[in-house]
Amino acid sequence: MKKFTIADFNIYKAQAQKITMITAYDFNHAQLIAESLIDTILVGDSLGMVVQGANNTLNVSLDDILYHTKAVRRGAPDKFIVADMPYLSYHLDSKTTIQNAGTLICAGGADAVKLEINNVNMLSQISSLTDAQIPVIAHIGMTPQSVNVFGGFKVQGKNEAQVQHIEKMAQFAQDAGASAIVIECVPSSVAQKITKTLSIPTIGIGAGNGCDGQVLVLNDLLGISKHTPKFAKQYLDGKYLIKNALNEFSYEVTSQAFPSDKHSY
Ligand code: KIV
């Protein structure tokens, strides 16, 4: 399988070929993704919710993302990996932003970093990173790190002012040097218009079918998340399958069917 590189974002868009992205947080799942047709992996700060069990992503640290990025890189040595910049790792000044992103690239093994962009002040961080030769994916729309500003995880782009804001963020992020844009939880029509306007690709999550690609949280896709959002399709009934396996193990131990001679020395 040909390795997806940063250049492929634009090549795929030009060829109208959809880009696939999935989150991953550990070695085992990364190995499976490495053997799949998925183009790119996101070590998302969603790990705060799906791995650590928090109610939002604000508690995730740079060390958390670094730890999980290293594990995913070991499992998927040839996949294009995007590491999420966690809350406050890119909000202070450009020097800290470059240092933190550089750590995820150099020590973590990521190919690019992702930043949530919800106001014009944050755009300068994209240009600082691209100047430092670090590829950036911007994330707009319902940016989970803005949960306290939004007053919850609410669909964005539902009124004209919000639509104009999101369109502006998309255009400015492209102008600042972003290589692609994740658009989360906005009406399909808004994402479709942005996708047609931009020269860089859009990757949607809860943003309809008009984007240049799609990203899902792995645990949602596998059907093992505590809450599955409306936009996430479950491709496996993971909860059912895993609970069945656990109960079967429990039953076989109590009934002394396991371990058999086959599993003994
Ligand atoms: O952290 C994450 O998993 C994300 C995706 C939802 C796009 O940002």
Side-chain angles (χ1 to χ4, degrees), residues 53-97:
N55 290 330
N56 58 47
T57 58
L58 299 178
N59 62 310
V60 176
S61 68
L62 189 77
D63 280 348
D64 290 335
I65 297 285
L66 180 61
Y67 173 91
H68 288 278
T69 303
K70 283 180 179 175
V72 169
R73 174 52 83 205
R74 283 183 211 113
D78 295 325
K79 283 283 178 193
F80 189 92
I81 296 178
V82 181
D84 233 347
M85 298 281 291
Y87 182 56
L88 290 186
S89 70
Y90 58 100
H91 301 72
L92 305 179
D93 52 62
S94 60
K95 190 176 165 205
T96 321
T97 303

Tab-separated table of all heavy atoms in Angstrom, residues 53-97:
chain	number	residue	atom	x	y	z
A	53	GLY	N	-12.005	8.730	30.287
A	53	GLY	CA	-13.341	8.773	30.906
A	53	GLY	C	-13.782	10.139	31.407
A	53	GLY	O	-14.720	10.231	32.195
A	54	ALA	N	-13.128	11.217	30.939
A	54	ALA	CA	-13.531	12.564	31.369
A	54	ALA	C	-14.764	13.022	30.586
A	54	ALA	O	-15.138	12.416	29.572
A	54	ALA	CB	-12.379	13.540	31.154
A	55	ASN	N	-15.382	14.127	31.050
A	55	ASN	CA	-16.585	14.638	30.381
A	55	ASN	C	-16.266	15.533	29.195
A	55	ASN	O	-17.147	15.883	28.415
A	55	ASN	CB	-17.435	15.445	31.370
A	55	ASN	CG	-18.066	14.533	32.387
A	55	ASN	OD1	-18.346	13.372	32.093
A	55	ASN	ND2	-18.255	15.034	33.597
A	56	ASN	N	-15.009	15.981	29.108
A	56	ASN	CA	-14.596	16.796	27.965
A	56	ASN	C	-13.099	16.564	27.729
A	56	ASN	O	-12.496	15.710	28.393
A	56	ASN	CB	-14.931	18.280	28.190
A	56	ASN	CG	-14.282	18.832	29.430
A	56	ASN	OD1	-13.084	18.623	29.654
A	56	ASN	ND2	-15.054	19.507	30.272
A	57	THR	N	-12.523	17.339	26.800
A	57	THR	CA	-11.131	17.074	26.408
A	57	THR	C	-10.138	18.010	27.113
A	57	THR	O	-8.936	17.931	26.846
A	57	THR	CB	-10.977	17.259	24.883
A	57	THR	OG1	-11.370	18.598	24.543
A	57	THR	CG2	-11.836	16.279	24.117
A	58	LEU	N	-10.633	18.877	27.994
A	58	LEU	CA	-9.783	19.951	28.528
A	58	LEU	C	-8.683	19.474	29.470
A	58	LEU	O	-7.710	20.188	29.707
A	58	LEU	CB	-10.664	20.998	29.233
A	58	LEU	CG	-11.700	21.676	28.318
A	58	LEU	CD1	-12.562	22.651	29.108
A	58	LEU	CD2	-11.011	22.399	27.164
A	59	ASN	N	-8.844	18.269	30.010
A	59	ASN	CA	-7.855	17.758	30.962
A	59	ASN	C	-6.643	17.115	30.285
A	59	ASN	O	-5.663	16.764	30.952
A	59	ASN	CB	-8.516	16.697	31.850
A	59	ASN	CG	-8.999	15.520	31.009
A	59	ASN	OD1	-9.683	15.737	29.994
A	59	ASN	ND2	-8.631	14.304	31.351
A	60	VAL	N	-6.708	16.962	28.966
A	60	VAL	CA	-5.639	16.213	28.267
A	60	VAL	C	-4.361	17.060	28.221
A	60	VAL	O	-4.400	18.247	27.905
A	60	VAL	CB	-6.094	15.838	26.842
A	60	VAL	CG1	-4.977	15.168	26.071
A	60	VAL	CG2	-7.321	14.937	26.905
A	61	SER	N	-3.235	16.428	28.526
A	61	SER	CA	-1.956	17.156	28.545
A	61	SER	C	-1.129	16.812	27.308
A	61	SER	O	-1.404	15.840	26.603
A	61	SER	CB	-1.174	16.773	29.802
A	61	SER	OG	-0.766	15.421	29.698
A	62	LEU	N	-0.094	17.608	27.088
A	62	LEU	CA	0.822	17.319	25.984
A	62	LEU	C	1.484	15.954	26.204
A	62	LEU	O	1.657	15.181	25.263
A	62	LEU	CB	1.891	18.424	25.883
A	62	LEU	CG	2.751	18.332	24.627
A	62	LEU	CD1	1.995	18.843	23.406
A	62	LEU	CD2	4.049	19.098	24.794
A	63	ASP	N	1.814	15.656	27.452
A	63	ASP	CA	2.427	14.355	27.765
A	63	ASP	C	1.491	13.199	27.417
A	63	ASP	O	1.943	12.150	26.949
A	63	ASP	CB	2.801	14.270	29.250
A	63	ASP	CG	4.108	14.992	29.537
A	63	ASP	OD1	4.811	15.341	28.576
A	63	ASP	OD2	4.391	15.222	30.723
A	64	ASP	N	0.176	13.397	27.644
A	64	ASP	CA	-0.801	12.351	27.275
A	64	ASP	C	-0.742	12.103	25.767
A	64	ASP	O	-0.671	10.962	25.308
A	64	ASP	CB	-2.242	12.776	27.635
A	64	ASP	CG	-2.505	12.822	29.130
A	64	ASP	OD1	-1.804	12.122	29.874
A	64	ASP	OD2	-3.427	13.562	29.537
A	65	ILE	N	-0.802	13.198	25.000
A	65	ILE	CA	-0.817	13.049	23.532
A	65	ILE	C	0.512	12.433	23.069
A	65	ILE	O	0.534	11.562	22.186
A	65	ILE	CB	-1.053	14.416	22.840
A	65	ILE	CG1	-2.428	14.996	23.219
A	65	ILE	CG2	-0.929	14.274	21.316
A	65	ILE	CD1	-3.633	14.363	22.552
A	66	LEU	N	1.599	12.849	23.688
A	66	LEU	CA	2.919	12.323	23.308
A	66	LEU	C	2.981	10.811	23.555
A	66	LEU	O	3.398	10.042	22.689
A	66	LEU	CB	4.001	13.049	24.122
A	66	LEU	CG	5.444	12.625	23.850
A	66	LEU	CD1	5.830	12.891	22.400
A	66	LEU	CD2	6.403	13.362	24.793
A	67	TYR	N	2.530	10.405	24.727
A	67	TYR	CA	2.541	8.985	25.112
A	67	TYR	C	1.752	8.138	24.100
A	67	TYR	O	2.222	7.117	23.605
A	67	TYR	CB	1.927	8.882	26.518
A	67	TYR	CG	1.691	7.494	27.045
A	67	TYR	CD1	2.652	6.832	27.797
A	67	TYR	CD2	0.481	6.825	26.801
A	67	TYR	CE1	2.432	5.563	28.297
A	67	TYR	CE2	0.252	5.552	27.288
A	67	TYR	CZ	1.228	4.928	28.039
A	67	TYR	OH	1.008	3.666	28.521
A	68	HIS	N	0.536	8.625	23.765
A	68	HIS	CA	-0.320	7.850	22.858
A	68	HIS	C	0.185	7.920	21.411
A	68	HIS	O	0.048	6.954	20.665
A	68	HIS	CB	-1.776	8.329	22.975
A	68	HIS	CG	-2.412	7.924	24.271
A	68	HIS	ND1	-2.950	6.676	24.481
A	68	HIS	CD2	-2.556	8.586	25.442
A	68	HIS	CE1	-3.410	6.592	25.715
A	68	HIS	NE2	-3.178	7.750	26.323
A	69	THR	N	0.772	9.057	21.036
A	69	THR	CA	1.304	9.172	19.669
A	69	THR	C	2.459	8.184	19.473
A	69	THR	O	2.565	7.525	18.432
A	69	THR	CB	1.771	10.619	19.382
A	69	THR	OG1	0.672	11.504	19.607
A	69	THR	CG2	2.244	10.776	17.949
A	70	LYS	N	3.302	8.067	20.488
A	70	LYS	CA	4.432	7.116	20.393
A	70	LYS	C	3.921	5.682	20.213
A	70	LYS	O	4.434	4.920	19.397
A	70	LYS	CB	5.284	7.176	21.666
A	70	LYS	CG	6.195	8.381	21.750
A	70	LYS	CD	6.981	8.290	23.064
A	70	LYS	CE	7.934	9.446	23.218
A	70	LYS	NZ	8.596	9.426	24.529
A	71	ALA	N	2.889	5.337	20.989
A	71	ALA	CA	2.334	3.974	20.915
A	71	ALA	C	1.724	3.715	19.543
A	71	ALA	O	1.929	2.652	18.937
A	71	ALA	CB	1.285	3.789	22.011
A	72	VAL	N	0.987	4.718	19.034
A	72	VAL	CA	0.337	4.563	17.719
A	72	VAL	C	1.406	4.477	16.627
A	72	VAL	O	1.300	3.657	15.702
A	72	VAL	CB	-0.659	5.733	17.474
A	72	VAL	CG1	-1.143	5.750	16.032
A	72	VAL	CG2	-1.838	5.629	18.434
A	73	ARG	N	2.446	5.274	16.744
A	73	ARG	CA	3.519	5.236	15.728
A	73	ARG	C	4.183	3.855	15.704
A	73	ARG	O	4.478	3.316	14.644
A	73	ARG	CB	4.537	6.351	16.007
A	73	ARG	CG	5.760	6.318	15.092
A	73	ARG	CD	5.398	6.257	13.598
A	73	ARG	NE	5.092	7.534	13.002
A	73	ARG	CZ	4.311	7.675	11.920
A	73	ARG	NH1	3.725	6.633	11.340
A	73	ARG	NH2	4.090	8.863	11.404
A	74	ARG	N	4.362	3.240	16.889
A	74	ARG	CA	4.971	1.899	16.914
A	74	ARG	C	4.061	0.888	16.197
A	74	ARG	O	4.534	-0.010	15.519
A	74	ARG	CB	5.192	1.431	18.356
A	74	ARG	CG	6.389	2.079	19.001
A	74	ARG	CD	6.635	1.527	20.416
A	74	ARG	NE	7.212	2.573	21.230
A	74	ARG	CZ	6.615	3.157	22.279
A	74	ARG	NH1	5.428	2.739	22.683
A	74	ARG	NH2	7.218	4.116	22.929
A	75	GLY	N	2.758	1.067	16.328
A	75	GLY	CA	1.822	0.126	15.696
A	75	GLY	C	1.621	0.384	14.221
A	75	GLY	O	1.266	-0.529	13.467
A	76	ALA	N	1.817	1.625	13.809
A	76	ALA	CA	1.548	1.981	12.402
A	76	ALA	C	2.733	2.796	11.848
A	76	ALA	O	2.615	3.999	11.635
A	76	ALA	CB	0.260	2.782	12.306
A	77	PRO	N	3.862	2.108	11.621
A	77	PRO	CA	5.084	2.845	11.258
A	77	PRO	C	4.959	3.617	9.946
A	77	PRO	O	5.651	4.615	9.763
A	77	PRO	CB	6.148	1.760	11.123
A	77	PRO	CG	5.540	0.489	11.589
A	77	PRO	CD	4.068	0.662	11.721
A	78	ASP	N	4.068	3.169	9.055
A	78	ASP	CA	4.014	3.804	7.727
A	78	ASP	C	2.767	4.645	7.480
A	78	ASP	O	2.561	5.115	6.366
A	78	ASP	CB	4.097	2.719	6.640
A	78	ASP	CG	5.445	2.014	6.675
A	78	ASP	OD1	6.447	2.688	6.973
A	78	ASP	OD2	5.466	0.787	6.449
A	79	LYS	N	1.926	4.796	8.484
A	79	LYS	CA	0.707	5.591	8.265
A	79	LYS	C	0.983	7.070	8.533
A	79	LYS	O	1.862	7.418	9.328
A	79	LYS	CB	-0.428	5.123	9.199
A	79	LYS	CG	-1.090	3.838	8.756
A	79	LYS	CD	-2.074	4.023	7.601
A	79	LYS	CE	-2.655	2.674	7.181
A	79	LYS	NZ	-3.363	2.688	5.912
A	80	PHE	N	0.205	7.933	7.895
A	80	PHE	CA	0.286	9.376	8.152
A	80	PHE	C	-0.433	9.641	9.472
A	80	PHE	O	-1.627	9.383	9.598
A	80	PHE	CB	-0.366	10.150	7.003
A	80	PHE	CG	-0.128	11.633	7.092
A	80	PHE	CD1	0.960	12.211	6.446
A	80	PHE	CD2	-0.975	12.452	7.823
A	80	PHE	CE1	1.203	13.577	6.532
A	80	PHE	CE2	-0.746	13.808	7.920
A	80	PHE	CZ	0.339	14.377	7.268
A	81	ILE	N	0.309	10.143	10.458
A	81	ILE	CA	-0.267	10.351	11.796
A	81	ILE	C	-0.349	11.842	12.121
A	81	ILE	O	0.639	12.572	12.010
A	81	ILE	CB	0.569	9.629	12.878
A	81	ILE	CG1	0.519	8.109	12.651
A	81	ILE	CG2	0.066	9.980	14.281
A	81	ILE	CD1	1.339	7.296	13.637
A	82	VAL	N	-1.554	12.256	12.510
A	82	VAL	CA	-1.782	13.628	12.968
A	82	VAL	C	-1.930	13.574	14.493
A	82	VAL	O	-2.735	12.800	15.006
A	82	VAL	CB	-3.076	14.211	12.357
A	82	VAL	CG1	-3.290	15.645	12.831
A	82	VAL	CG2	-3.041	14.139	10.829
A	83	ALA	N	-1.140	14.390	15.199
A	83	ALA	CA	-1.260	14.453	16.663
A	83	ALA	C	-2.022	15.726	17.032
A	83	ALA	O	-1.732	16.805	16.514
A	83	ALA	CB	0.118	14.457	17.316
A	84	ASP	N	-2.996	15.571	17.915
A	84	ASP	CA	-3.783	16.720	18.357
A	84	ASP	C	-2.971	17.573	19.321
A	84	ASP	O	-2.281	17.039	20.197
A	84	ASP	CB	-5.030	16.202	19.105
A	84	ASP	CG	-6.308	16.775	18.545
A	84	ASP	OD1	-6.251	17.739	17.764
A	84	ASP	OD2	-7.378	16.223	18.888
A	85	MET	N	-3.066	18.889	19.163
A	85	MET	CA	-2.470	19.796	20.155
A	85	MET	C	-3.515	19.989	21.254
A	85	MET	O	-4.611	20.494	20.980
A	85	MET	CB	-2.155	21.146	19.516
A	85	MET	CG	-1.135	21.105	18.387
A	85	MET	SD	0.564	21.012	18.941
A	85	MET	CE	0.851	22.598	19.660
A	86	PRO	N	-3.218	19.578	22.494
A	86	PRO	CA	-4.240	19.696	23.542
A	86	PRO	C	-4.444	21.136	23.999
A	86	PRO	O	-3.643	22.022	23.683
A	86	PRO	CB	-3.673	18.840	24.677
A	86	PRO	CG	-2.216	18.802	24.457
A	86	PRO	CD	-1.984	18.958	22.982
A	87	TYR	N	-5.515	21.332	24.747
A	87	TYR	CA	-5.880	22.657	25.264
A	87	TYR	C	-4.698	23.287	26.001
A	87	TYR	O	-4.033	22.624	26.794
A	87	TYR	CB	-7.089	22.513	26.200
A	87	TYR	CG	-7.589	23.816	26.750
A	87	TYR	CD1	-7.957	24.851	25.899
A	87	TYR	CD2	-7.680	24.015	28.129
A	87	TYR	CE1	-8.410	26.070	26.414
A	87	TYR	CE2	-8.137	25.218	28.644
A	87	TYR	CZ	-8.490	26.244	27.776
A	87	TYR	OH	-8.928	27.442	28.285
A	88	LEU	N	-4.434	24.544	25.725
A	88	LEU	CA	-3.373	25.388	26.304
A	88	LEU	C	-1.968	25.053	25.807
A	88	LEU	O	-1.004	25.660	26.270
A	88	LEU	CB	-3.400	25.368	27.846
A	88	LEU	CG	-4.596	26.084	28.479
A	88	LEU	CD1	-4.447	26.138	29.998
A	88	LEU	CD2	-4.756	27.507	27.922
A	89	SER	N	-1.844	24.095	24.876
A	89	SER	CA	-0.496	23.798	24.353
A	89	SER	C	-0.148	24.717	23.186
A	89	SER	O	0.983	24.733	22.729
A	89	SER	CB	-0.394	22.330	23.933
A	89	SER	OG	-1.171	22.085	22.790
A	90	TYR	N	-1.122	25.503	22.688
A	90	TYR	CA	-0.856	26.396	21.546
A	90	TYR	C	-1.565	27.745	21.720
A	90	TYR	O	-1.790	28.465	20.751
A	90	TYR	CB	-1.281	25.726	20.228
A	90	TYR	CG	-2.733	25.314	20.148
A	90	TYR	CD1	-3.670	26.088	19.467
A	90	TYR	CD2	-3.181	24.153	20.766
A	90	TYR	CE1	-5.012	25.720	19.398
A	90	TYR	CE2	-4.508	23.774	20.715
A	90	TYR	CZ	-5.414	24.557	20.025
A	90	TYR	OH	-6.737	24.192	19.957
A	91	HIS	N	-1.896	28.071	22.962
A	91	HIS	CA	-2.673	29.290	23.212
A	91	HIS	C	-1.827	30.422	23.789
A	91	HIS	O	-2.328	31.525	23.975
A	91	HIS	CB	-3.823	29.003	24.191
A	91	HIS	CG	-4.776	27.961	23.700
A	91	HIS	ND1	-4.451	26.630	23.641
A	91	HIS	CD2	-6.034	28.052	23.230
A	91	HIS	CE1	-5.471	25.944	23.172
A	91	HIS	NE2	-6.447	26.786	22.909
A	92	LEU	N	-0.572	30.138	24.144
A	92	LEU	CA	0.196	31.132	24.896
A	92	LEU	C	0.997	32.049	23.970
A	92	LEU	O	0.701	33.220	23.830
A	92	LEU	CB	1.109	30.415	25.904
A	92	LEU	CG	0.359	29.442	26.852
A	92	LEU	CD1	1.314	28.756	27.803
A	92	LEU	CD2	-0.733	30.173	27.625
A	93	ASP	N	2.015	31.483	23.320
A	93	ASP	CA	2.825	32.276	22.393
A	93	ASP	C	3.398	31.320	21.355
A	93	ASP	O	3.363	30.103	21.528
A	93	ASP	CB	3.945	33.019	23.136
A	93	ASP	CG	4.758	32.074	23.991
A	93	ASP	OD1	5.388	31.153	23.438
A	93	ASP	OD2	4.739	32.209	25.226
A	94	SER	N	3.960	31.903	20.285
A	94	SER	CA	4.368	31.038	19.173
A	94	SER	C	5.551	30.144	19.553
A	94	SER	O	5.660	29.017	19.083
A	94	SER	CB	4.670	31.862	17.924
A	94	SER	OG	5.693	32.754	18.194
A	95	LYS	N	6.420	30.646	20.457
A	95	LYS	CA	7.578	29.826	20.847
A	95	LYS	C	7.109	28.530	21.535
A	95	LYS	O	7.551	27.430	21.200
A	95	LYS	CB	8.474	30.639	21.803
A	95	LYS	CG	9.795	29.986	22.058
A	95	LYS	CD	10.687	30.853	22.915
A	95	LYS	CE	11.835	30.003	23.440
A	95	LYS	NZ	12.403	30.505	24.663
A	96	THR	N	6.176	28.683	22.478
A	96	THR	CA	5.659	27.498	23.186
A	96	THR	C	4.927	26.581	22.209
A	96	THR	O	5.039	25.354	22.290
A	96	THR	CB	4.665	27.923	24.299
A	96	THR	OG1	5.163	29.092	24.916
A	96	THR	CG2	4.452	26.837	25.304
A	97	THR	N	4.165	27.190	21.299
A	97	THR	CA	3.425	26.383	20.317
A	97	THR	C	4.383	25.542	19.482
A	97	THR	O	4.168	24.336	19.292
A	97	THR	CB	2.588	27.298	19.392
A	97	THR	OG1	1.716	28.079	20.200
A	97	THR	CG2	1.774	26.490	18.395
